[in-house]
Each structure stands twice: as structure tokens, then as C-alpha cells.
Amino acid sequence: MGNSNYDPKVIPGDSTSLVTSKPFECDDSREFICGYGAAFINICLTFPINKVMFRQMMYGVKTNSAFLQLRKEGIYHLYRGLLPPLMSKTLSVSLMFGTYHQYQKMLDTLFPHIAAYSAIRLTVAALLAGCTEAVLTPFERVQTLLQDPKYNHQFNNTFHTFKEIRRFGIKEYYRGLAPILLRNGPSNVLFFSLRDQVMDTFPPRNKWWSELVVNFASGACIGALISTVFYPVNVIKTKMQTNLVGSNFISMSKAAKLVYIERQGSIRAIFYGVHLNYARSFLSWGIINASYEMLRKFL
């Protein structure tokens, strides 16, 4: 791509991407804006569910115990920690959709012969988009600290937490980077590779509401599947990120071993909260996918 003799074409298996001879024009910003808006809508609706799930990840307790913890702490603390995901998840989903399309165009420009293979093009672009999202790890770190009740009196809010962490250097913001990279890249590959395939399994839709239902259902099914597959990775990430600020760093393998020991060698205990995670992801990614497609039409 990159020269005027390159004919525009649609890459097989990716109906949302059009390869043209002008890779960085047209609707480049639209993907970023739509991703941001979709994530904003989702976070405002699903944050309490995410907080219950976090307590189950952290303490290996069942749903009713996690719910009772939050009820005891009161409504004031229910939305404690909302700002980091509101800042990070909106940017993360924006980067996920936006950079995915940008990396595809980059591949079309720099490696047109390789990019002609749609599976390779999709995989590389999705992996690179996942790695780009990892720059937002500090927000996940702060959110984790704010959601852990043992830090309720140590950190006042998002900005105070960022300020306190800064004293220990930039590395402290990036605890848990390894599991985040392991989660982001492969999950993006699965999402973008399955997205169009799942949507194509539904019957033709002629009404706006049927289109909305299909977009919700396809995003919901894929998101729930992916979040379940990578649930243990998130448990390990949570273990790494809830370590005391300024304490020694632990590797991903050591964190996995500690989780296994703390759950008394029970794989089932490691998956405590997975059903709620499944329900949250089903709802979240349904909302994200439906909102994203709706915003793309408006823009």
C-alpha cells in the first residue's frame, strides 16, 4: 500500500477495515472516539459488579460474603475507585479499537505482502494494540489499591494514591505488567478474530433494534468467553498489584504460587468470582460492542 498504484480492497475476514492508498486519512479518529464513548457508557453501569468480583479475586470469598463486605462499608465506599477505571478503561478501549485499525493500516503500508494474509494482519495488529494498552497499567494499579479495604485509610482518592506511589519511582506504577501483557495481546486477538464470525452467524437484520441486539449478543458472548479464559491471569495480577507500596516486587510465577498456596491448592477457589466475572463481562462487552457500533453510525 503506500503507492498510488495500490488498488483499494477489503481484506478477507475483516469487514470493518478498508485498505486504501491513503492509510492515515478518512475516519482515523472515529475508532478512538467510538471506543472511548462505548467504554464510558459501560463503566458507569457495571462498576458495582466489578467491585464485588474484585473482592472475590482478592480474598477468595463467595459472592454473598463479598456483597456483605460492600454493604457494611456503605454507599460512600461503593464507588470508591471509580475514577481510575473511568480514566483508564475509556482510554484502554479507545486504544484497543483505534490502534488496532491504525496498526492494520501500518502493516498495509510497510508490509503489504504479509498484510495480504488476513489472519496474520489481524493477529499482529491485535497483539500490538494490546501492548499499547499496557501503558495504562498505572491506572489498574491505583484502582486495585483503592478497591482493597486494607488501604481505605492509607489512600484518600485517586490523585492522592498517584502522588504517594510517585515517591517510589515509575516502576512502582507498573506492578503487574507481565500478566497485563499476557492478558491484553491474546485476548485482543480472540476478540477481533471472533467478532465478525459470531455476528455473521445471526440471521439478517433489517431493523435498528435487531442490529443493536445482534451487536450486544455477539460482544457479550465473546467478552464473557475471553474473560473466563483469562480469569486466573487477572487473579495473579491482583495479587501482584495489592502488594504494599515500596515492598519487594514479586514475579508472576511467584505470585501464582502464592495464590495457589493461599487457596489451599484448590483450583476451584482460584476461580471464585468467575461466575460474576462472566456475568459482568457478558453485560460489559455487550454494552461496549453495541455502543461502539451505534456511535460509529452516528459519526
Side-chain angles (χ1 to χ4, degrees), residues 3-279:
N3 64 66
S4 58
N5 296 323
Y6 193 86
D7 293 330
K9 64 178 181 178
V10 176
I11 296 295
D14 187 5
S15 60
T16 63
S17 299
L18 179 68
V19 181
T20 70
S21 59
K22 296 181 179 181
F24 299 107
E25 296 183 3
C26 301
D27 59 348
D28 288 348
S29 62
R30 184 176 68 163
E31 306 298 337
F32 289 97
I33 295 170
C34 292
Y36 186 95
F40 185 92
I41 294 169
N42 165 64
I43 292 164
C44 291
L45 295 175
T46 61
F47 184 77
I49 300 174
N50 182 69
K51 195 158 189 178
V52 173
M53 183 193 69
F54 169 83
R55 295 295 175 88
Q56 293 187 270
M57 281 184 175
M58 184 60 205
Y59 298 108
V61 296
K62 295 185 178 180
T63 304
N64 59 336
S65 297
F67 177 78
L68 288 173
Q69 283 184 14
L70 296 178
R71 184 178 178 182
K72 184 177 180 181
E73 292 170 21
I75 192 68
Y76 175 78
H77 286 101
L78 180 61
Y79 276 87
R80 177 179 163 87
L82 173 65
L83 188 57
L86 200 59
M87 296 169 67
S88 66
K89 191 62 179 178
T90 50
L91 291 174
S92 178
V93 176
S94 177
L95 287 174
M96 174 185 167
F97 284 104
T99 59
Y100 170 68
H101 287 278
Q102 290 299 319
Y103 283 130
Q104 283 188 320
K105 292 181 178 181
M106 185 185 301
L107 290 170
D108 296 334
T109 304
L110 301 176
F111 307 103
H113 298 295
I114 296 177
Y117 297 93
S118 60
I120 296 176
R121 179 176 182 260
L122 182 151
T123 300
V124 174
L127 285 172
L128 290 173
C131 292
T132 304
E133 289 177 68
V135 302
L136 301 173
T137 297
F139 289 101
E140 287 200 46
R141 167 74 162 137
V142 169
Q143 180 188 356
T144 300
L145 292 173
L146 288 174
Q147 287 186 324
D148 192 337
K150 69 174 177 277
Y151 297 113
N152 278 353
H153 302 292
Q154 184 175 347
F155 301 116
N156 299 329
N157 51 48
T158 299
F159 298 107
H160 179 250
T161 308
F162 268 109
K163 182 180 178 181
E164 290 297 303
I165 292 177
R166 187 179 62 185
R167 296 188 292 116
F168 298 92
I170 190 70
K171 187 178 179 182
E172 188 66 51
Y173 288 110
Y174 283 87
R175 281 185 188 259
L177 178 61
I180 286 174
L181 287 171
L182 181 62
R183 177 197 67 192
N184 284 5
S187 64
N188 276 6
V189 173
L190 286 173
F191 180 82
F192 286 113
S193 61
L194 294 174
R195 187 166 173 258
D196 288 341
Q197 295 180 39
V198 172
M199 290 177 69
D200 289 341
T201 62
F202 289 90
R205 47 272 183 196
N206 301 318
K207 304 289 185 179
W208 68 267
W209 57 265
S210 62
E211 186 76 21
L212 190 68
V213 170
V214 168
N215 289 333
F216 177 89
S218 58
C221 293
I222 296 168
L225 171 65
I226 293 172
S227 67
T228 301
V229 171
F230 288 94
Y231 188 80
V233 178
N234 276 327
V235 173
I236 294 168
K237 182 212 71 149
T238 299
K239 181 64 178 176
M240 295 172 72
Q241 290 190 326
T242 50
N243 272 10
L244 290 171
V245 175
S247 63
N248 292 332
F249 279 65
I250 60 174
S251 66
M252 185 175 172
S253 59
K254 186 174 181 180
K257 185 177 180 180
L258 288 173
V259 168
Y260 184 75
I261 293 172
E262 289 173 358
R263 308 293 168 91
Q264 300 178 339
S266 171
I267 300 298
R268 181 182 178 184
I270 293 174
F271 277 88
Y272 274 162
V274 71
H275 62 291
L276 188 59
N277 177 67
Y278 183 92

